[in-house]
PDB file of all heavy atoms in Angstrom:
ATOM      1  N   GLY K 244      -7.192 -43.891  21.511  1.00 86.00           N
ATOM      2  CA  GLY K 244      -6.511 -45.126  21.919  1.00 86.00           C
ATOM      3  C   GLY K 244      -7.169 -45.729  23.191  1.00 86.00           C
ATOM      4  O   GLY K 244      -8.398 -45.840  23.331  1.00 86.00           O
ATOM      5  N   HIS K 245      -6.285 -45.985  24.071  1.00 91.00           N
ATOM      6  CA  HIS K 245      -6.741 -46.651  25.380  1.00 91.00           C
ATOM      7  C   HIS K 245      -6.703 -45.679  26.533  1.00 91.00           C
ATOM      8  O   HIS K 245      -6.720 -45.988  27.698  1.00 91.00           O
ATOM      9  CB  HIS K 245      -5.825 -47.797  25.722  1.00 91.00           C
ATOM     10  CG  HIS K 245      -5.797 -48.873  24.729  1.00 91.00           C
ATOM     11  ND1 HIS K 245      -6.837 -49.735  24.422  1.00 91.00           N
ATOM     12  CD2 HIS K 245      -4.774 -49.283  23.835  1.00 91.00           C
ATOM     13  CE1 HIS K 245      -6.529 -50.561  23.518  1.00 91.00           C
ATOM     14  NE2 HIS K 245      -5.254 -50.421  23.186  1.00 91.00           N
ATOM     15  N   SER K 246      -6.833 -44.345  26.145  1.00 93.00           N
ATOM     16  CA  SER K 246      -6.786 -43.343  27.204  1.00 93.00           C
ATOM     17  C   SER K 246      -7.892 -43.398  28.310  1.00 93.00           C
ATOM     18  O   SER K 246      -7.614 -43.133  29.465  1.00 93.00           O
ATOM     19  CB  SER K 246      -6.794 -41.989  26.588  1.00 93.00           C
ATOM     20  OG  SER K 246      -5.574 -41.678  25.830  1.00 93.00           O
ATOM     21  N   THR K 247      -9.049 -43.746  27.857  1.00 93.00           N
ATOM     22  CA  THR K 247     -10.247 -43.965  28.803  1.00 93.00           C
ATOM     23  C   THR K 247      -9.799 -44.922  29.868  1.00 93.00           C
ATOM     24  O   THR K 247      -9.987 -44.723  31.118  1.00 93.00           O
ATOM     25  CB  THR K 247     -11.444 -44.259  28.120  1.00 93.00           C
ATOM     26  OG1 THR K 247     -11.847 -43.267  27.119  1.00 93.00           O
ATOM     27  CG2 THR K 247     -12.568 -44.511  29.078  1.00 93.00           C
ATOM     28  N   TRP K 248      -9.356 -46.148  29.469  1.00 95.00           N
ATOM     29  CA  TRP K 248      -9.017 -47.187  30.409  1.00 95.00           C
ATOM     30  C   TRP K 248      -7.787 -46.827  31.249  1.00 95.00           C
ATOM     31  O   TRP K 248      -7.714 -47.142  32.440  1.00 95.00           O
ATOM     32  CB  TRP K 248      -8.795 -48.507  29.662  1.00 95.00           C
ATOM     33  CG  TRP K 248      -9.945 -48.913  28.842  1.00 95.00           C
ATOM     34  CD1 TRP K 248     -10.168 -48.871  27.457  1.00 95.00           C
ATOM     35  CD2 TRP K 248     -11.294 -49.283  29.366  1.00 95.00           C
ATOM     36  NE1 TRP K 248     -11.407 -49.313  27.093  1.00 95.00           N
ATOM     37  CE2 TRP K 248     -12.106 -49.545  28.264  1.00 95.00           C
ATOM     38  CE3 TRP K 248     -11.781 -49.393  30.666  1.00 95.00           C
ATOM     39  CZ2 TRP K 248     -13.533 -49.947  28.404  1.00 95.00           C
ATOM     40  CZ3 TRP K 248     -13.064 -49.812  30.803  1.00 95.00           C
ATOM     41  CH2 TRP K 248     -13.892 -50.113  29.703  1.00 95.00           C
ATOM     42  N   ILE K 249      -6.851 -46.083  30.562  1.00 94.00           N
ATOM     43  CA  ILE K 249      -5.637 -45.664  31.332  1.00 94.00           C
ATOM     44  C   ILE K 249      -6.046 -44.703  32.448  1.00 94.00           C
ATOM     45  O   ILE K 249      -5.580 -44.714  33.644  1.00 94.00           O
ATOM     46  CB  ILE K 249      -4.547 -45.087  30.390  1.00 94.00           C
ATOM     47  CG1 ILE K 249      -4.120 -46.201  29.493  1.00 94.00           C
ATOM     48  CG2 ILE K 249      -3.419 -44.519  31.221  1.00 94.00           C
ATOM     49  CD1 ILE K 249      -3.149 -45.604  28.422  1.00 94.00           C
ATOM     50  N   ALA K 250      -6.943 -43.711  32.087  1.00 94.00           N
ATOM     51  CA  ALA K 250      -7.425 -42.770  33.105  1.00 94.00           C
ATOM     52  C   ALA K 250      -8.171 -43.416  34.168  1.00 94.00           C
ATOM     53  O   ALA K 250      -7.975 -43.109  35.379  1.00 94.00           O
ATOM     54  CB  ALA K 250      -8.294 -41.689  32.429  1.00 94.00           C
ATOM     55  N   LEU K 251      -8.975 -44.423  33.865  1.00 94.00           N
ATOM     56  CA  LEU K 251      -9.751 -45.103  34.893  1.00 94.00           C
ATOM     57  C   LEU K 251      -8.776 -45.907  35.824  1.00 94.00           C
ATOM     58  O   LEU K 251      -8.950 -46.051  37.016  1.00 94.00           O
ATOM     59  CB  LEU K 251     -10.796 -46.058  34.323  1.00 94.00           C
ATOM     60  CG  LEU K 251     -11.957 -45.354  33.726  1.00 94.00           C
ATOM     61  CD1 LEU K 251     -12.855 -46.400  32.989  1.00 94.00           C
ATOM     62  CD2 LEU K 251     -12.767 -44.690  34.806  1.00 94.00           C
ATOM     63  N   ALA K 252      -7.685 -46.515  35.163  1.00 94.00           N
ATOM     64  CA  ALA K 252      -6.752 -47.244  35.987  1.00 94.00           C
ATOM     65  C   ALA K 252      -6.042 -46.381  36.922  1.00 94.00           C
ATOM     66  O   ALA K 252      -5.786 -46.723  38.074  1.00 94.00           O
ATOM     67  CB  ALA K 252      -5.709 -47.926  35.027  1.00 94.00           C
ATOM     68  N   TRP K 253      -5.624 -45.125  36.441  1.00 93.00           N
ATOM     69  CA  TRP K 253      -5.092 -44.140  37.383  1.00 93.00           C
ATOM     70  C   TRP K 253      -5.971 -43.757  38.530  1.00 93.00           C
ATOM     71  O   TRP K 253      -5.552 -43.719  39.659  1.00 93.00           O
ATOM     72  CB  TRP K 253      -4.664 -42.911  36.511  1.00 93.00           C
ATOM     73  CG  TRP K 253      -3.327 -42.879  35.900  1.00 93.00           C
ATOM     74  CD1 TRP K 253      -3.061 -43.061  34.518  1.00 93.00           C
ATOM     75  CD2 TRP K 253      -2.076 -42.881  36.537  1.00 93.00           C
ATOM     76  NE1 TRP K 253      -1.743 -43.003  34.246  1.00 93.00           N
ATOM     77  CE2 TRP K 253      -1.068 -42.880  35.481  1.00 93.00           C
ATOM     78  CE3 TRP K 253      -1.600 -42.699  37.811  1.00 93.00           C
ATOM     79  CZ2 TRP K 253       0.282 -42.820  35.782  1.00 93.00           C
ATOM     80  CZ3 TRP K 253      -0.274 -42.667  38.062  1.00 93.00           C
ATOM     81  CH2 TRP K 253       0.721 -42.745  37.051  1.00 93.00           C
ATOM     82  N   ALA K 254      -7.258 -43.620  38.223  1.00 92.00           N
ATOM     83  CA  ALA K 254      -8.238 -43.245  39.184  1.00 92.00           C
ATOM     84  C   ALA K 254      -8.400 -44.352  40.274  1.00 92.00           C
ATOM     85  O   ALA K 254      -8.392 -44.074  41.484  1.00 92.00           O
ATOM     86  CB  ALA K 254      -9.528 -42.895  38.558  1.00 92.00           C
ATOM     87  N   ILE K 255      -8.537 -45.559  39.766  1.00 93.00           N
ATOM     88  CA  ILE K 255      -8.744 -46.689  40.725  1.00 93.00           C
ATOM     89  C   ILE K 255      -7.469 -46.851  41.576  1.00 93.00           C
ATOM     90  O   ILE K 255      -7.540 -47.106  42.755  1.00 93.00           O
ATOM     91  CB  ILE K 255      -9.152 -47.995  39.929  1.00 93.00           C
ATOM     92  CG1 ILE K 255     -10.502 -47.805  39.250  1.00 93.00           C
ATOM     93  CG2 ILE K 255      -9.064 -49.221  40.880  1.00 93.00           C
ATOM     94  CD1 ILE K 255     -10.812 -48.927  38.282  1.00 93.00           C
ATOM     95  N   GLY K 256      -6.276 -46.721  40.928  1.00 92.00           N
ATOM     96  CA  GLY K 256      -5.058 -46.967  41.608  1.00 92.00           C
ATOM     97  C   GLY K 256      -4.887 -45.904  42.803  1.00 92.00           C
ATOM     98  O   GLY K 256      -4.456 -46.153  43.895  1.00 92.00           O
ATOM     99  N   ALA K 257      -5.339 -44.636  42.390  1.00 89.00           N
ATOM    100  CA  ALA K 257      -5.160 -43.528  43.327  1.00 89.00           C
ATOM    101  C   ALA K 257      -6.110 -43.777  44.610  1.00 89.00           C
ATOM    102  O   ALA K 257      -5.705 -43.614  45.687  1.00 89.00           O
ATOM    103  CB  ALA K 257      -5.633 -42.197  42.672  1.00 89.00           C
ATOM    104  N   VAL K 258      -7.392 -44.197  44.427  1.00 90.00           N
ATOM    105  CA  VAL K 258      -8.207 -44.345  45.468  1.00 90.00           C
ATOM    106  C   VAL K 258      -7.874 -45.610  46.339  1.00 90.00           C
ATOM    107  O   VAL K 258      -8.042 -45.653  47.561  1.00 90.00           O
ATOM    108  CB  VAL K 258      -9.658 -44.426  45.017  1.00 90.00           C
ATOM    109  CG1 VAL K 258     -10.012 -45.818  44.403  1.00 90.00           C
ATOM    110  CG2 VAL K 258     -10.615 -44.165  46.247  1.00 90.00           C
ATOM    111  N   LEU K 259      -7.228 -46.650  45.636  1.00 91.00           N
ATOM    112  CA  LEU K 259      -6.846 -47.860  46.379  1.00 91.00           C
ATOM    113  C   LEU K 259      -5.593 -47.538  47.192  1.00 91.00           C
ATOM    114  O   LEU K 259      -5.418 -48.090  48.291  1.00 91.00           O
ATOM    115  CB  LEU K 259      -6.563 -49.012  45.375  1.00 91.00           C
ATOM    116  CG  LEU K 259      -7.741 -49.670  44.684  1.00 91.00           C
ATOM    117  CD1 LEU K 259      -7.346 -50.728  43.721  1.00 91.00           C
ATOM    118  CD2 LEU K 259      -8.670 -50.203  45.754  1.00 91.00           C
ATOM    119  N   VAL K 260      -4.742 -46.711  46.687  1.00 90.00           N
ATOM    120  CA  VAL K 260      -3.474 -46.390  47.459  1.00 90.00           C
ATOM    121  C   VAL K 260      -3.728 -45.256  48.454  1.00 90.00           C
ATOM    122  O   VAL K 260      -3.266 -45.378  49.665  1.00 90.00           O
ATOM    123  CB  VAL K 260      -2.365 -46.076  46.497  1.00 90.00           C
ATOM    124  CG1 VAL K 260      -1.113 -45.559  47.288  1.00 90.00           C
ATOM    125  CG2 VAL K 260      -1.982 -47.189  45.614  1.00 90.00           C
ATOM    126  N   LEU K 261      -4.325 -44.169  48.059  1.00 88.00           N
ATOM    127  CA  LEU K 261      -4.487 -42.979  48.788  1.00 88.00           C
ATOM    128  C   LEU K 261      -5.634 -43.009  49.834  1.00 88.00           C
ATOM    129  O   LEU K 261      -5.573 -42.413  50.865  1.00 88.00           O
ATOM    130  CB  LEU K 261      -4.529 -41.767  47.900  1.00 88.00           C
ATOM    131  CG  LEU K 261      -3.430 -41.501  46.987  1.00 88.00           C
ATOM    132  CD1 LEU K 261      -3.657 -40.378  46.037  1.00 88.00           C
ATOM    133  CD2 LEU K 261      -2.117 -41.330  47.752  1.00 88.00           C
ATOM    134  N   GLY K 262      -6.759 -43.737  49.433  1.00 88.00           N
ATOM    135  CA  GLY K 262      -7.910 -43.868  50.281  1.00 88.00           C
ATOM    136  C   GLY K 262      -7.586 -44.447  51.660  1.00 88.00           C
ATOM    137  O   GLY K 262      -7.872 -43.816  52.662  1.00 88.00           O
ATOM    138  N   PRO K 263      -6.883 -45.622  51.740  1.00 89.00           N
ATOM    139  CA  PRO K 263      -6.495 -46.164  53.019  1.00 89.00           C
ATOM    140  C   PRO K 263      -5.549 -45.189  53.838  1.00 89.00           C
ATOM    141  O   PRO K 263      -5.661 -45.145  55.056  1.00 89.00           O
ATOM    142  CB  PRO K 263      -5.725 -47.432  52.645  1.00 89.00           C
ATOM    143  CG  PRO K 263      -6.374 -47.836  51.369  1.00 89.00           C
ATOM    144  CD  PRO K 263      -6.584 -46.582  50.684  1.00 89.00           C
ATOM    145  N   LEU K 264      -4.670 -44.520  53.144  1.00 89.00           N
ATOM    146  CA  LEU K 264      -3.844 -43.498  53.896  1.00 89.00           C
ATOM    147  C   LEU K 264      -4.638 -42.379  54.483  1.00 89.00           C
ATOM    148  O   LEU K 264      -4.417 -42.095  55.648  1.00 89.00           O
ATOM    149  CB  LEU K 264      -2.893 -42.889  52.855  1.00 89.00           C
ATOM    150  CG  LEU K 264      -1.742 -43.800  52.335  1.00 89.00           C
ATOM    151  CD1 LEU K 264      -0.926 -42.963  51.328  1.00 89.00           C
ATOM    152  CD2 LEU K 264      -0.843 -44.233  53.476  1.00 89.00           C
ATOM    153  N   ALA K 265      -5.717 -41.967  53.778  1.00 89.00           N
ATOM    154  CA  ALA K 265      -6.567 -40.870  54.321  1.00 89.00           C
ATOM    155  C   ALA K 265      -7.330 -41.458  55.552  1.00 89.00           C
ATOM    156  O   ALA K 265      -7.528 -40.831  56.521  1.00 89.00           O
ATOM    157  CB  ALA K 265      -7.513 -40.440  53.263  1.00 89.00           C
ATOM    158  N   VAL K 266      -7.975 -42.682  55.389  1.00 86.00           N
ATOM    159  CA  VAL K 266      -8.652 -43.184  56.473  1.00 86.00           C
ATOM    160  C   VAL K 266      -7.807 -43.534  57.656  1.00 86.00           C
ATOM    161  O   VAL K 266      -8.237 -43.213  58.905  1.00 86.00           O
ATOM    162  CB  VAL K 266      -9.303 -44.631  56.009  1.00 86.00           C
ATOM    163  CG1 VAL K 266      -9.979 -45.331  57.160  1.00 86.00           C
ATOM    164  CG2 VAL K 266     -10.333 -44.401  54.942  1.00 86.00           C
ATOM    165  N   ASN K 267      -6.551 -43.950  57.478  1.00 88.00           N
ATOM    166  CA  ASN K 267      -5.697 -44.164  58.585  1.00 88.00           C
ATOM    167  C   ASN K 267      -5.324 -42.904  59.234  1.00 88.00           C
ATOM    168  O   ASN K 267      -5.215 -42.804  60.518  1.00 88.00           O
ATOM    169  CB  ASN K 267      -4.358 -44.937  58.113  1.00 88.00           C
ATOM    170  CG  ASN K 267      -3.457 -45.299  59.182  1.00 88.00           C
ATOM    171  OD1 ASN K 267      -3.872 -45.989  60.142  1.00 88.00           O
ATOM    172  ND2 ASN K 267      -2.325 -44.808  59.212  1.00 88.00           N
ATOM    173  N   LYS K 268      -5.080 -41.862  58.468  1.00 86.00           N
ATOM    174  CA  LYS K 268      -4.732 -40.491  59.053  1.00 86.00           C
ATOM    175  C   LYS K 268      -5.931 -39.954  59.844  1.00 86.00           C
ATOM    176  O   LYS K 268      -5.718 -39.322  60.868  1.00 86.00           O
ATOM    177  CB  LYS K 268      -4.393 -39.578  57.993  1.00 86.00           C
ATOM    178  CG  LYS K 268      -3.789 -38.331  58.443  1.00 86.00           C
ATOM    179  CD  LYS K 268      -2.560 -38.363  59.185  1.00 86.00           C
ATOM    180  CE  LYS K 268      -1.963 -37.058  59.598  1.00 86.00           C
ATOM    181  NZ  LYS K 268      -0.720 -37.226  60.324  1.00 86.00           N
ATOM    182  N   TYR K 269      -7.129 -40.119  59.342  1.00 85.00           N
ATOM    183  CA  TYR K 269      -8.339 -39.775  60.025  1.00 85.00           C
ATOM    184  C   TYR K 269      -8.442 -40.346  61.396  1.00 85.00           C
ATOM    185  O   TYR K 269      -8.860 -39.741  62.382  1.00 85.00           O
ATOM    186  CB  TYR K 269      -9.559 -40.010  59.132  1.00 85.00           C
ATOM    187  CG  TYR K 269     -10.891 -39.649  59.805  1.00 85.00           C
ATOM    188  CD1 TYR K 269     -11.234 -38.282  59.999  1.00 85.00           C
ATOM    189  CD2 TYR K 269     -11.719 -40.609  60.321  1.00 85.00           C
ATOM    190  CE1 TYR K 269     -12.368 -37.928  60.642  1.00 85.00           C
ATOM    191  CE2 TYR K 269     -12.835 -40.219  60.985  1.00 85.00           C
ATOM    192  CZ  TYR K 269     -13.184 -38.954  61.159  1.00 85.00           C
ATOM    193  OH  TYR K 269     -14.442 -38.596  61.792  1.00 85.00           O
TER     194      TYR K 269
END
Side-chain angles (χ1 to χ4, degrees):
H245 301 291
S246 293
T247 297
W248 301 111
I249 295 173
L251 287 174
W253 274 109
I255 294 170
V258 77
L259 289 178
V260 173
L261 301 175
L264 290 176
V266 171
N267 185 57
K268 188 65 178 179
Y269 175 75

